[in-house]
Structures are given as C-alpha cells and as structure tokens.
Amino acid sequence: MATVENRAQKPAAGINDDIGEATRLELYRSQVLLREAEQRAFDLFLQNLVKGTSHLSLGQEAVAAGFATAMKPGDLSFCTYRGHAHTLARGVPVEKVLGELMQRDNGLMRGKGGSMHLTSAEHGVMGSYAIIGAHLPIACGAAWRAQYKGTKDVSVCFFGDGTTNIGAFHEALNFAVVWKLPVIFVCENNLYMEYTPIASVTAVKQPAADRAAAYGLERILIDGNDADVVYRTAQDAFAKARAGAGPSLIECLTYRHSGHSRADPAKYRPEGELERWKERDPVKVYRERLKQFGVDDKAIAAIENDVRKIVDDATEACKAAPMPPLDLLTTDVYADGGFAWRN
Amino acid sequence: MAELTYRDAVARGIAQEMERDEDVVFLGEDVADAGGVFKATVGLLEKFGPIRVRDTPISEQAIMGAAMGAAMTGLKPIAEIMFSDFFAVCFDYIANEFPKSRYMSNGQLKCPLVVRTGNGAGSRFGAQHSQSVENWCMMIPGLKVVAPSNPRDVIGLMAAAVRDPDPVIFFEHKSLYATKGEVPDGEIVDTLGTAAIARPGKDATILALALMVPRALAAAEKLKAEHGIDCEVVDVRSLVPLDTQTILGSVARTHRLFTVEENPRLCGWGAEIVSIVADEAFYDLDGPPVRITTPHIPLPAADILEDIALPTVDRIVDRVKRSMNS
Ligand SMILES: Cc1ncc(C[n+]2csc(CCOP(=O)(O)OP(=O)(O)O)c2C)c(N)n1
Ligand SMILES: [Mg+2]
C-alpha cells in the first residue's frame, strides 16, 4: 500500500472534523449493512435459495458507502453485476435486493433482472450492467442530460480494474472530458479481473490512475478500504462536477474477500494475501476509527444489532414471498407494456 | 407541396422534431459543422446551435451509450452512426443495452431514442461500407426498425420514431440520398408499423424495402407492359413492428408472393415474412413464395460486380415472370 496517496486524509481534529460524527455513524452503518446483507446473500446461496450467479462486494464496502454517503438525491449510480452494495448504499431496502437475488415477486425487478441487473430508478440506481464497460458511456449520457438541463446532478459510474482494458472505458473517458460532463468514474481495483491478476494483463501498474494523464485528468489513487478517505475524495469530485469543471477518475485500492462469483473458490490467490487484506477489512478499520474517536461500544453495538435485525427481517420476508406470476414473462419488452412485434 | 431530395428530407425531419421539442438533441461524427458525410444534416447546427447539435469523437460506443443515458433520464436523442456497418463496433448497445433495459428493470427504465444510419449498397464502397444490416436489428426483442424508401416517408417516419417511447433504428439508404420526391408542406407525422401499397396490382405481391422499392416498382411497370403481369408492390417500411395485416391482405388478393431484399440471403427479413405467410395464408397461395436477394457474399467494390450482386430490375422481372409462367 506504499504507493497510495491519501490525498484526502486530513489531520485528525477529533470526530467533529470536516466529516463529523453523524456522517461517520452513517458511514459505519452503511458498511455494516452492506457486509451483513452480502454475507446473508452468500448464506442463502449455500441454502440454494439464491439461484443463478451472484458477485459479492464483501471487503469492498468502504467504496460503496463512501460514495453513496457523499451523494445527493438526484445523483445517479451506474453499477456493474457486482452491484448489490452500491444499490443498497443508495437506500434500497434489503428485502428488495435479497428478493431479487431469490427471484421472488418482492424483488426489485420481480425476478426479471436478477442479481447482475439491480435497478431502482426511484433511488437513483440507474441499472447494473453485466457487459464490461457498457455503462461508462451510459453514465456520460445521463451526465449530458444534467448538463443540458442545467441541474446539478452528477452521474457516478462504478467498475472494476479489469474494465480499464476495454474500449468503452477509453471512449467514455475521452468523451466525458471533451464534453466536460458531470460524471465520476470510480474504479474499484480489487487486484483481479475474474481469476487473473490485473497486473499480468495491464500495461501500467495502476490500471485507472496511470491512465488519467492520457485524458488530461488528475491522477487519483486512494485507499479504498478507508471510508473517510473515500468520502472525502468523493466530495471533492462531486464539488468539481457540480461546479461544471468536468469528470474525475478515481482508483480505489481494495480487495474482495470472497471469490469472483458464487462459483469461484478463489484458489488462484497467493498464500496469505486474503489474510493480509482482512487485517485492513474496511468494517474493522472503521469500527476502530470510531472507537479512537471515543464513540462508545454501546452505540456501535446498537448499529450492528439494528442492521442484523433489518437483514433478518428481510430474509424472512423474502422466504415467505411468492414467486413472480408467469404472465410477467412477456411484459415490458416495449413501452406499451407488452411484447407485440406485429399486428 | 415541394420536391425534396431524400437527403434534404433527413434534415427537414430532424428539424421538424427539434423545433417541436427542445428535449430532442442530435449527436454523431461530423454531423454538426460538416453537416454529415452524406450532407444529410446540413443546416441543423446553424438552426439549433452547438448545445443541441453536437459533433463527437470517433467513438461509436460512446455515441450510443451517451444517447442511451440521455434517453433514460429524459432527453430524446437522435444519434447518427455514419455507416450501418459500424454497428458491429457498438453492437452491445443495439443488442444488449437499448432493448433490454426496460425488460430487465421490470419497466423502471426507458430508452426513447433514435439511431439513424447510412445503410445499403450502390456506392462502390466495398464490403465494409455497403451492407444492408436491418436484419441484425430485426431479430432483437425490444427494438423497433424502420427503413424509408422516399423523402416523404423519411420525414414522417423520423417524426414517428422520435416520438416513439422505444428505441428505434432508422435505416437511411445511401443510394437514395440523391433521389427526389414530392413532399407536402407543414408537419408530417407517420405511424410506425405500417406498410404502404406503393402500386396496386392483382396478379402477384412484391414486398420491398428502401432501395428495393423503386426497383420493384420499375420491375412491376415492365412486367405489366411486356408480360401482362399486374404486380402489387408493397413498401414494407417498418420491419418492427411489422404490418402483417397489409402483407397478408395483399397475398389474399394476389395469391402470389415475392420478396425483394438487398441483404445477403440468410435470415433476411423476407424469410420471416415468408414463414408467416406459409403459416397463416398457405391456402391463399397459388405457387411457392420466392425470395429475390443478394447472394450469400460480402459485397464487392467494382461497379460491374456490385451491380449484379443486388437484385436488379431485370432480375426481379425475370424471376417473377418465370415463376408466374411455371
Ligand atoms: C465484455 C465482457 N467481457 C467479459 C465478461 C466476463 N467477465 C465478467 S466479470 C469479469 C471480470 C471483470 O473484472 P473487473 O473489471 O476487475 O471487476 P470485478 O469483477 O473485479 O469487480 C469478466 C471478464 C463480461 N461480462 N463482459
Ligand atoms: Mg477486479
């Protein structure tokens, strides 16, 4: 982690510094919620209640929590198939997400999208995209609309390290800079693209940060396991975007604790790597930070218990929820609600 | 009424919609300052300014993605992809993104945009700038697909496409840009999913699209004058939605079906229509349906080769005559 420039780290001035206690408790709560919900998704998969595939963000919670906490209503999130955390972080109810993973009628898209396509337009989650890179240009388009309409809304696009090697990444970066769009590109560098170490397939050391210069952007490389750092960096990028000063590209160093997807035991990781990263587990890091700041154990436990109850209740609600009705099969192909292609 | 080229009809169609609705925006390569490589968008920048008419980098994925993101958040973008052959470098948006977001989100997301593109052969551009690729799009649930054959339809179908709440792929034919037609004054708004009987006739139905429409019409005149065969020519206009009622109605009257398709043979739009007719109007037919297409080849550049690749007036006449006389 020696290369990390914690540009957003500021001297500790006590809990009521620029971030403040209320936001810190929110950041912690968000990370615990993402952790518990993702862990539950994994457990439900082991019980064969989550079908299909799923890509967990265990270990990457600080990125999702840090950005979502810095967002305002009207800001839009564009996620990948690894999108549960970003969706939940925008305030989408756990039941809606688990319900979709369990392919129930109470799911966000009533089972029509599945784990890889979580969408909640009312929360500003404008889709989760499973074709690598596809959503970077789409986020540009939403930012274009904000620019055109003169709103202060910002589009935020999350993606992995592997995504920096696909053409759409480069097209979107250039396009966003040329059009000066209010969009933030957030690369979660978890060191792997699926099963392959990112370093072995990338021309530069830092897949996003080292490309920033090619688009005239500032090189931003941060500790993605520290929610304070993420939050501060996000705030700077939002301020820039809202001021009409264009896009940012932010590389967050992080690590996924589980395999790439549910089918992956992650045997390709070198001995000890996971354990080393777990020492810097973002939830653990942040709990210690709160304690250092004098937040008492009771307040921390209260957050954790509250979140566990939310996830437990959501799980029970999903188990009891019906499967989607069969007539959903042919709805919403076209705007008239159906799938007619002929008269 | 005024006589207008197909090329000028494109600009007029876009302008009509941009004047009506300030949420209509237009982007593409060389479309603003230069007025388009086919000069089909000349004057739009001057009329609507650089905020609404925007030149882009050579980034087809960015163009398509930006159009989609703008559409899902409330604008009504018209995106140009210079040559339809270039769909291949941004096909993700055509195949996976535009058409599936509404379904996957259970109706939460919308994608009301138009992609207009130069399609088809006749310019001696060779295999990568000449294809007819409407069947690439026709097969994808969630898209709508139109291909006008004359200036009036360009304006009317453009209006219908822009006002439609679904993603519409709008195929302009490069070899029609210079052709002229009568266009009424004032606003023109057509309807997607409607075919047009371009020439009534009683002996056989010829279905055609885009550049093949004038060829089918010329063939019909020849068949009547030289062989006494009276053909009805139907301009299909819209592949999705498909106006099967007009097509089946024509076949029920003439009892014979021919399709004239510019695309290479396999999986052309005519194959789908022939299968519908076989399924639903088999006993109306007095003979086997016949598809007249480009062979299963990439397109050559040389004029004498390209000219024999596409269905010609003579090939249509010959094929219809042989089939009707057998
Ligand atoms: C265009 C495309 N190519 C390949 C894949 C298969 N695929 C799914 S996830 C993935 C790895 C992506 O790695 P990264 O961008 O680092 O994201 P992470 O999974 O680590 O979050 C690949 C190759 C895909 N979905 N889309
Ligand atoms: Mg990765």
Side-chain angles (χ1 to χ4, degrees):
Chain A
M1 302 288 289
T3 62
V4 179
E5 300 152 22
N6 283 341
R7 62 195 282 285
Q9 199 110 56
K10 289 177 185 154
I15 195 160
N16 285 318
D17 57 2
D18 59 312
I19 294 180
E21 179 165 5
T23 302
R24 280 219 167 76
L25 294 179
E26 200 182 321
L27 284 165
Y28 184 62
R29 184 191 160 82
S30 178
Q31 291 180 86
V32 173
L33 181 90
L34 308 186
R35 172 64 51 91
E36 294 292 325
E38 288 285 64
Q39 193 58 53
R40 184 60 49 89
F42 186 72
D43 296 344
L44 289 166
F45 154 62
L46 292 179
Q47 295 166 41
N48 206 23
L49 285 167
V50 167
K51 310 272 171 61
T53 188
S54 54
H55 306 76
L56 305 179
S57 290
L58 290 170
Q60 304 184 199
E61 293 88 350
V63 179
F67 271 93
T69 304
M71 286 184 203
K72 299 212 160 93
D75 292 335
L76 302 177
S77 305
F78 293 82
C79 319
T80 68
Y81 50 88
R82 197 181 302 289
H84 310 168
H86 295 294
T87 302
L88 289 164
R90 292 301 306 270
V92 176
V94 179
E95 181 191 331
K96 293 250 167 207
V97 171
L98 288 182
E100 188 65 26
L101 269 53
M102 291 164 74
Q103 311 188 339
R104 306 288 168 130
D105 200 36
N106 67 341
L108 260 183
M109 300 89 76
R110 301 180 72 190
K112 285 176 80 176
S115 154
M116 295 202 283
H117 300 296
L118 298 180
T119 305
S120 185
E122 64 172 303
H123 295 90
V125 182
M126 300 305 280
S128 300
Y129 297 79
I131 307 296
I132 297 294
H135 61 315
L136 282 85
I138 298 171
C140 288
W144 174 29
R145 186 255 176 199
Q147 181 187 62
Y148 183 78
K149 287 290 189 185
T151 73
K152 293 285 166 201
D153 303 337
V154 177
S155 294
V156 186
C157 184
F158 301 98
F159 53 90
D161 44 283
T163 303
T164 64
N165 289 328
I166 203 162
F169 168 88
H170 298 275
E171 290 196 13
L173 261 294
N174 182 63
F175 190 88
V177 171
V178 173
W179 285 28
K180 247 190 174 187
L181 296 174
V183 56
I184 304 174
F185 299 104
V186 183
C187 176
E188 296 182 70
N189 181 359
N190 60 10
L191 308 188
Y192 292 91
M193 53 147 287
E194 262 175 5
Y195 317 138
T196 304
I198 194 63
S200 68
V201 291
T202 307
V204 291
K205 185 154 178 289
Q206 298 305 332
D210 287 348
R211 263 94 171 230
Y215 302 104
L217 291 172
E218 185 188 357
R219 182 180 195 278
I220 305 177
L221 177 65
I222 64 166
D223 179 355
N225 277 15
D226 184 329
D228 281 352
V229 173
V230 175
Y231 177 77
R232 285 189 177 117
T233 310
Q235 280 196 314
D236 290 351
F238 279 110
K240 177 182 174 190
R242 292 193 218 286
S248 300
L249 172 63
I250 299 166
E251 178 172 335
C252 307
L253 283 178
T254 185
Y255 194 79
R256 62 169 153 72
H257 291 174
S258 56
H260 165 73
S261 64
R262 66 172 230 180
D264 172 27
K267 293 259 166 61
Y268 44 82
R269 307 206 266 217
E271 227 8 79
E273 186 179 80
L274 174 61
E275 289 66 32
R276 276 199 305 285
W277 276 91
K278 277 196 164 170
E279 283 164 25
R280 301 209 55 264
D281 175 335
V283 178
K284 195 173 115 185
V285 165
Y286 215 74
R287 191 188 297 114
E288 278 159 19
R289 170 99 23 95
L290 291 183
K291 285 184 179 174
Q292 277 167 13
F293 276 129
V295 177
D296 69 27
D297 288 350
K298 266 209 245 133
I300 293 174
I303 290 174
E304 291 166 355
N305 292 336
D306 185 38
V307 164
R308 263 179 220 120
K309 177 152 172 23
I310 288 170
V311 175
D312 285 343
D313 290 350
T315 307
E316 292 316 308
C318 291
K319 284 180 177 167
M323 297 297 167
L326 297 185
D327 62 6
L328 218 57
L329 178 68
T330 54
T331 63
D332 287 321
V333 176
Y334 292 102
D336 64 5
F339 75 121
W341 54 273
R342 56 171 285 190
N343 60 9
Chain B
M1 265 318 194
E3 192 169 65
L4 207 64
T5 60
Y6 188 97
R7 162 183 293 121
D8 292 340
V10 172
R12 181 167 144 193
I14 295 172
Q16 175 186 300
E17 293 309 295
M18 292 188 78
E19 260 154 28
R20 179 186 59 83
D21 181 353
E22 70 158 32
D23 286 342
V24 179
V25 289
F26 177 44
L27 78 167
E29 294 161 21
D30 292 324
V31 299
D33 265 326
V37 293
F38 302 113
K39 297 286 170 226
T41 57
V42 171
L44 293 176
L45 174 68
E46 291 71 20
K47 217 179 247 156
F48 300 103
I51 308 286
R52 296 182 69 189
V53 179
R54 296 192 78 162
D55 281 324
T56 68
I58 310 168
S59 300
E60 277 75 11
Q61 297 188 74
I63 293 168
M64 296 293 239
M68 178 174 173
M72 69 163 63
T73 51
L75 298 185
K76 301 276 294 181
I78 303 172
E80 174 176 314
I81 298 295
M82 196 183 287
F83 286 78
S84 63
D85 313 68
F86 308 163
F87 277 8
V89 300
C90 52
F91 204 59
D92 179 38
Y93 295 91
I94 295 171
N96 290 319
E97 312 300 342
F98 304 161
K100 295 186 170 62
S101 61
R102 181 183 292 276
Y103 186 84
M104 294 195 302
S105 68
N106 193 37
Q108 293 180 66
L109 299 180
K110 56 182 177 172
C111 190
L113 56 79
V114 179
V115 177
R116 40 172 296 273
T117 189
N119 194 47
S123 306
R124 292 45 171 126
F125 287 163
Q128 296 178 344
H129 287 73
S130 305
Q131 297 170 84
S132 275
V133 304
E134 55 277 1
N135 59 340
W136 292 4
C137 299
M138 184 186 183
M139 66 175 78
I140 298 166
L143 294 180
K144 292 179 177 171
V145 182
V146 295
S149 70
N150 60 71
R152 186 199 164 113
D153 284 1
V154 166
I155 300 169
L157 291 174
M158 177 67 73
V162 171
R163 297 174 196 200
D164 195 83
D166 290 308
V168 180
I169 312 296
F170 192 93
F171 286 102
E172 294 162 17
H173 201 294
K174 297 195 288 291
S175 288
L176 289 174
Y177 278 130
T179 61
K180 291 183 175 161
E182 288 292 323
V183 174
D185 301 329
E187 189 182 69
I188 306 175
V189 186
D190 212 320
T191 312
L192 301 183
T194 54
I197 295 176
R199 178 193 196 280
K202 60 182 186 354
D203 297 332
T205 296
I206 304 178
L207 304 183
L209 191 73
L211 179 67
M212 295 298 106
V213 173
R215 292 193 184 182
L217 285 168
E221 290 308 316
K222 244 178 147 172
L223 282 158
K224 181 85 198 296
E226 295 171 16
H227 307 285
I229 301 170
D230 184 21
C231 294
E232 179 149 297
V233 175
V234 177
D235 182 347
V236 178
R237 303 195 326 150
S238 175
L239 294 176
V240 186
L242 185 65
D243 183 2
T244 50
Q245 293 313 312
T246 296
I247 293 165
L248 290 167
S250 178
V251 171
R253 286 192 300 277
T254 66
H255 310 293
R256 296 301 299 257
L257 175 64
F258 298 85
T259 67
V260 185
E261 304 164 52
E262 183 173 334
N263 46 257
R265 186 165 186 89
L266 300 190
C267 305
W269 54 264
E272 185 58 49
I273 292 178
V274 166
S275 102
I276 292 170
V277 170
D279 194 12
E280 299 174 29
F282 187 74
Y283 297 105
D284 286 337
L285 290 170
D286 285 345
V290 174
R291 293 179 58 213
I292 304 162
T293 73
T294 294
H296 189 57
I297 54 168
L299 286 169
D303 52 4
I304 57 162
L305 296 178
E306 191 183 48
D307 284 344
I308 58 163
L310 268 56
T312 57
V313 173
D314 286 345
R315 178 140 68 95
I316 299 166
V317 168
D318 182 59
R319 199 63 192 80
V320 172
K321 184 185 67 182
R322 270 197 292 132
S323 184
M324 296 294 284
N325 291 342
S326 66

